[in-house]
Amino acid sequence: MIRNGHGIADPSKKLGPGTKRTVRVWCDGCYDMVHYGHSNQLRQARAMGDYLVVGVHTDEEIAKHKGPPVFTQEERYKMVQAIKWVDEIVPGAPYVTALETLDKYNCDFCVHGNDITLTVDGRDTYEEVKKAGRYRECKRTQGVSTTDLVGRMLLMTKAHHSSRELPSEYREYTDSFGKCPRSHSPWTGVSQFLQTSQKIIQFASGKEPEPGDTIIYVAGAFDLFHIGHVSFLEKVYQLAERPYIIAGLHFDQEVNHYKGKNYPIMNVHERTLSVLACRYVAEVVIGAPYAVTADLLDHFKVDLVCHGKTEVIPDKDGSDPYEEPKRRGIFHQIDSGNDLTTDLIVQRIIKNRLEYEARNQKKEARELAALEAIKKQETMTMTEGAGVQVERS
């Protein structure tokens, strides 16, 4: 078990008289290609209690029930650990959530989104805890899913950069990507993500830098926020005793200029939430300039500027975007020890495209079967209820 909490007292210690009992919450999942939808689920779950324990399934379990994961279990463990609402993770958690697991980790109840998770044989993985009344539901985040992100990578279009209605060719592709040919599941699909100020407030820490903090600035696309980014930010965080990391996110057009193709895969609003969910980041600059200017450094009172070992592409005029921090002697290049990039993730997806499409088709087929069973049960219940009413009358 890996503990990385919010400074909560050890919940295993006995509480004194009059002390409020710590409410421990359980979440579990694959957390493959962790995105802001996963983070939002964990944020909501954490708000329901005092201490959040997150179980992450192994590669073997995911392959058995869903198909091949994009990321390895070690990568997924570290990604979940880096989400700021998570207090503790349990590697290798069972795919089916049992009361035994909740009791083992002293959790009062478990939380899941308002969709359905099924085993390979079509059984609801939360059936046991639901029957025992130890299940809570949170809202699923609209506008993002692993299915959608994979679709964006495979379809070389820039449609997802636009906040307007999605063009027909993009919607047609994403609507059919990995879909069961018979119908569409309400839990597997693509909807447009609409950013709101409230969502940013929910994700932001609201913490201002204090005297004695070391203000560190990092900039980039932070696209498909992944384990490479987390490893880099963790190393940056370790540079100071009291680090305050500000992440500058470039606009989509800026990223597309120096990355090309259909990059960024996530638009700037989605990337903002992904970065804000990371425990190492204190603040985000939305639409930061590509070049780190004197005005930016002075405005935020930056002490250090850091960049990873990835190539620094010159600005439009051919100049070094880090020229000013280098001149001031505050530029640091950081070796994160992790060479994963957004490009490599896309390559993983393309290489295994058919497997991922087959995985999504199987997933939706099981969801449709479950939906049909639910409807049938509801119809039977209504029919039985109507029969009772007739007898009484």
Side-chain angles (χ1 to χ4, degrees):
M1 290 183 289
I2 304 164
R3 302 180 188 276
N4 55 345
H6 302 253
I8 296 174
D10 185 347
S12 64
K13 291 181 180 177
K14 291 185 178 179
L15 301 170
T19 307
K20 181 187 171 186
R21 189 179 68 82
T22 299
V23 176
R24 290 170 63 91
V25 181
W26 172 271
C27 280
D28 56 28
C30 305
Y31 300 103
D32 194 22
M33 283 188 67
V34 173
H35 49 66
Y36 60 91
H38 294 122
S39 300
N40 195 36
Q41 179 224 356
L42 297 174
R43 179 191 67 80
Q44 292 177 80
R46 180 61 168 73
M48 295 182 191
D50 306 302
Y51 192 90
L52 179 61
V53 183
V54 181
V56 186
H57 310 317
T58 62
D59 296 344
E60 184 181 3
E61 282 283 274
I62 297 171
K64 175 184 173 183
H65 294 281
K66 291 180 70 174
V70 179
F71 290 96
T72 68
Q73 59 197 42
E74 295 303 326
E75 290 171 328
R76 292 183 290 106
Y77 297 156
K78 190 164 183 176
M79 279 299 297
V80 175
Q81 184 186 355
I83 296 172
K84 64 185 178 184
W85 297 288
V86 176
D87 295 293
E88 180 181 327
I89 76 161
V90 176
Y95 197 81
V96 175
T97 309
L99 292 172
E100 180 185 359
T101 303
L102 298 189
D103 292 340
K104 181 178 179 180
Y105 296 101
N106 301 313
C107 291
D108 297 84
F109 54 86
C110 76
V111 177
H112 187 66
N114 55 347
D115 54 354
I116 192 166
T117 304
L118 303 170
T119 62
V120 68
D121 56 1
R123 188 161 59 93
D124 183 352
T125 59
Y126 295 98
E127 184 179 348
E128 183 178 321
V129 291
K130 282 178 179 178
K131 286 180 179 177
R134 292 173 69 180
Y135 177 84
R136 305 285 186 277
E137 208 163 75
C138 63
K139 288 183 180 179
R140 183 178 181 274
T141 306
Q142 291 297 310
V144 66
S145 68
T146 303
T147 303
D148 178 28
L149 293 177
V150 170
R152 294 185 199 182
M153 290 181 231
L154 296 175
L155 186 66
M156 288 299 170
T157 175
K158 302 173 188 178
H160 53 280
H161 298 168
S162 174
S163 59
R164 295 171 295 178
E165 181 67 20
L166 298 175
S168 58
E169 78 277 4
Y170 177 70
R171 185 170 288 282
E172 182 182 348
Y173 181 83
T174 50
D175 280 351
S176 64
F177 174 71
K179 293 288 185 178
C180 178
R182 290 182 290 115
S183 184
H184 290 330
S185 162
W187 302 301
T188 301
V190 178
S191 58
Q192 190 175 5
F193 171 66
L194 299 173
Q195 179 70 286
T196 63
S197 58
Q198 182 61 31
K199 187 59 66 186
I200 293 177
I201 290 168
Q202 288 172 340
F203 272 57
S205 67
K207 179 181 176 291
E208 296 283 340
E210 298 176 357
D213 286 352
T214 300
I215 300 175
I216 308 173
Y217 182 76
V218 297
F222 293 101
D223 194 16
L224 290 177
F225 193 73
H226 53 72
I227 193 64
H229 297 130
V230 167
S231 298
F232 166 70
L233 290 168
E234 184 181 25
K235 284 288 179 69
V236 171
Y237 192 85
Q238 293 168 353
L239 290 176
E241 189 175 332
R242 290 173 51 184
Y244 186 94
I245 298 177
I246 301 174
L249 268 64
H250 307 315
F251 278 134
D252 299 341
Q253 294 82 356
E254 194 83 62
V255 177
N256 190 249
H257 173 76
Y258 65 80
K259 287 280 289 181
K261 298 180 183 177
N262 57 335
Y263 292 111
I265 304 299
M266 282 183 161
N267 67 44
V268 69
H269 303 301
E270 298 173 307
R271 291 183 283 121
T272 296
L273 295 185
S274 297
V275 175
L276 281 174
C278 179
R279 65 175 65 250
Y280 304 118
V281 176
E283 182 63 284
V284 166
V285 180
I286 304 170
Y290 186 66
V292 183
T293 63
D295 285 345
L296 185 148
L297 295 174
D298 293 340
H299 177 79
F300 292 108
K301 299 180 174 58
V302 175
D303 298 301
L304 296 173
V305 175
C306 296
H307 188 272
K309 290 289 186 179
T310 55
E311 179 189 4
V312 177
I313 298 170
D315 205 349
K316 294 182 181 72
D317 61 0
S319 63
D320 181 355
Y322 291 99
E323 184 179 337
E324 181 61 22
K326 285 177 180 177
R327 188 188 67 78
R328 297 188 183 196
I330 60 172
F331 179 79
H332 289 253
Q333 194 169 36
I334 304 296
D335 185 356
S336 68
N338 189 310
D339 59 0
L340 185 66
T341 63
T342 305
D343 289 326
L344 290 175
I345 294 173
V346 174
Q347 286 173 28
R348 285 187 190 184
I349 295 292
I350 292 173
K351 181 181 176 183
N352 298 293
R353 171 178 179 160
L354 294 178
E355 285 186 88
Y356 293 130
E357 289 186 341
R359 180 182 80 173
N360 289 330
Q361 286 177 352
K362 288 178 183 176
K363 176 176 179 283
E364 182 155 21
R366 287 199 300 271
E367 288 175 355
L368 286 167
L371 186 62
E372 192 64 34
I374 291 169
K375 287 180 179 178
K376 189 175 180 180
Q377 183 62 44
E378 288 175 349
T379 302
M380 287 174 62
T381 303
M382 288 174 65
T383 303
E384 289 170 3
V388 171
Q389 286 294 102
V390 169
E391 286 177 12
R392 285 178 179 173
S393 60

